């Protein structure tokens, strides 16, 4: 059974700092990995999707990497801003069509 | 605008009542999903459907039921058999090709 872990559970940084969020998974036979952002009381917003054949994806200040052999993905946020404060979740999709989510990392960026 | 809508935004249920949460999408996606989120936790899969008139149980299906009579709609019924239904419920869909998952805004269900 796939298990997804996100460490740390919470992170607080000053504005302007570069930071890395981690996502690890136990079964490397994945179809894709998706990073989401969730604001309090809201649904999930897709940030980046990495297919199993890809190593990384970039969108603006965000860069996500995937290393299937080690069961790891990272989300790099450059020059963090207070508006980046949210919970970030990763989801690993298997070929069976189901996704397994981590518990998320809650990020606070202080002005 | 294409997207996923969920209604109502807030729902209150008395003990012993069944309630139905609505999920509609106009993205022409084949696959639809229902998740439950409890405070401080990730999402857990309740039911999913990869095609009309077909659906499968997820990890926590007990006390829930679904139907998929139309491609656009995937309603979730929370029955009285669900012992702890207070949670945030999220609906999602995935189209063919890229397989990116999109989410609705969620319904917060509270049992009184």
């Amino acid at each position: 059974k796939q298990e997804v872990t996100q460490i740390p559970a919470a992170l607080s940084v000053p504005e302007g700092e570069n930071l890395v969020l981690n996502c690890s998974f136990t079964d490397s036979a994945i179809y894709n990995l998706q990073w989401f952002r969730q604001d309090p009381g809201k649904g999930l917003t897709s940030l980046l999707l990495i297919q199993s054949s890809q190593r990384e994806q970039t969108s603006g200040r965000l860069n996500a990497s995937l290393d299937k052999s080690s069961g790891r993905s990272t989300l790099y946020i450059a020059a963090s801003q207070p508006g980046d404060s949210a919970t970030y979740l990763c989801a690993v999709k298997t070929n069976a069509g189901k996704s397994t989510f981590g518990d998320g990392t809650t990020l606070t960026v202080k002005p | 605008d294409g997207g996923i809508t969920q209604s109502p935004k807030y729902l209150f249920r008395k003990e012993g009542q069944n309630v139905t949460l609505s999920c509609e999408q106009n993205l022409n996606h084949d696959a639809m999903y229902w998740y439950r989120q409890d405070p401080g936790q990730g999402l857990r899969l309740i039911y999913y459907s990869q095609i009309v008139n077909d659906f499968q149980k997820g990890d926590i299906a007990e006390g829930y039921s679904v139907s998929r009579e139309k491609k656009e709609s995937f309603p979730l019924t929370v029955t009285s058999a669900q012992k702890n239904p207070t949670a945030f419920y999220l609906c999602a869909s995935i189209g063919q090709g890229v397989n990116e998952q999109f989410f609705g805004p969620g319904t917060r269900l509270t049992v009184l």
Side-chain angles (χ1 to χ4, degrees):
Chain A
K1 179 184 176 184
Q2 181 74 271
E3 293 181 4
V4 179
T5 303
Q6 292 187 248
I7 295 174
L11 181 64
S12 180
V13 300
E15 182 176 2
E17 191 163 299
N18 301 327
L19 59 101
V20 174
L21 306 181
N22 297 294
C23 172
S24 61
F25 47 94
T26 54
D27 186 350
S28 61
I30 69 170
Y31 187 78
N32 63 37
L33 185 145
Q34 196 169 356
W35 281 95
F36 295 90
R37 168 187 174 134
Q38 186 177 32
D39 293 291
K42 306 291 185 183
L44 277 65
T45 299
S46 178
L47 297 174
L48 288 164
L49 172 71
I50 309 177
Q51 305 291 354
S52 63
S53 59
Q54 297 175 324
R55 295 285 300 204
E56 66 177 339
Q57 283 285 343
T58 298
S59 176
R61 295 183 293 110
L62 305 179
N63 176 277
S65 68
L66 174 64
D67 184 343
K68 283 198 306 178
S69 61
S70 66
R72 288 181 150 185
S73 176
T74 62
L75 179 67
Y76 174 83
I77 303 177
S80 59
Q81 303 171 357
D84 294 331
S85 298
T87 296
Y88 292 81
L89 297 107
C90 69
V92 177
K93 189 171 187 288
T94 66
N95 289 332
K98 294 165 51 173
S99 293
T100 303
F101 284 77
D103 287 345
T105 293
T106 298
L107 171 67
T108 302
V109 181
K110 299 181 178 179
Chain B
D1 286 337
I4 303 174
T5 57
Q6 292 186 242
S7 62
K9 185 174 182 179
Y10 299 98
L11 185 58
F12 298 91
R13 192 194 91 170
K14 294 182 180 179
E15 295 274 359
Q17 275 185 336
N18 293 351
V19 292
T20 297
L21 282 61
S22 169
C23 177
E24 303 277 334
Q25 54 98 0
N26 61 4
L27 300 167
N28 199 34
H29 287 172
D30 289 315
M32 297 186 73
Y33 301 78
W34 273 107
Y35 295 94
R36 169 183 173 139
Q37 186 178 34
D38 292 284
Q41 297 187 25
L43 279 65
R44 291 183 289 168
L45 182 64
I46 304 173
Y47 268 98
Y48 64 107
S49 167
Q50 294 185 306
I51 197 169
V52 174
N53 292 323
D54 186 50
F55 49 83
Q56 288 80 39
K57 292 182 178 179
D59 301 319
I60 56 165
E62 185 175 352
Y64 299 97
S65 66
V66 293
S67 63
R68 187 82 188 278
E69 297 176 359
K70 298 187 299 181
K71 188 175 185 177
E72 313 82 58
S73 178
F74 191 40
L76 173 74
T77 297
V78 185
T79 75
S80 57
Q82 169 51 234
K83 299 305 179 188
N84 184 23
T86 294
F88 191 47
Y89 290 86
L90 289 156
C91 178
S93 70
I94 296 178
Q96 293 184 350
V98 174
N99 264 268
E100 186 173 4
Q101 189 163 191
F102 293 93
F103 280 82
T107 292
R108 186 166 299 281
L109 173 63
T110 303
V111 175
L112 303 174

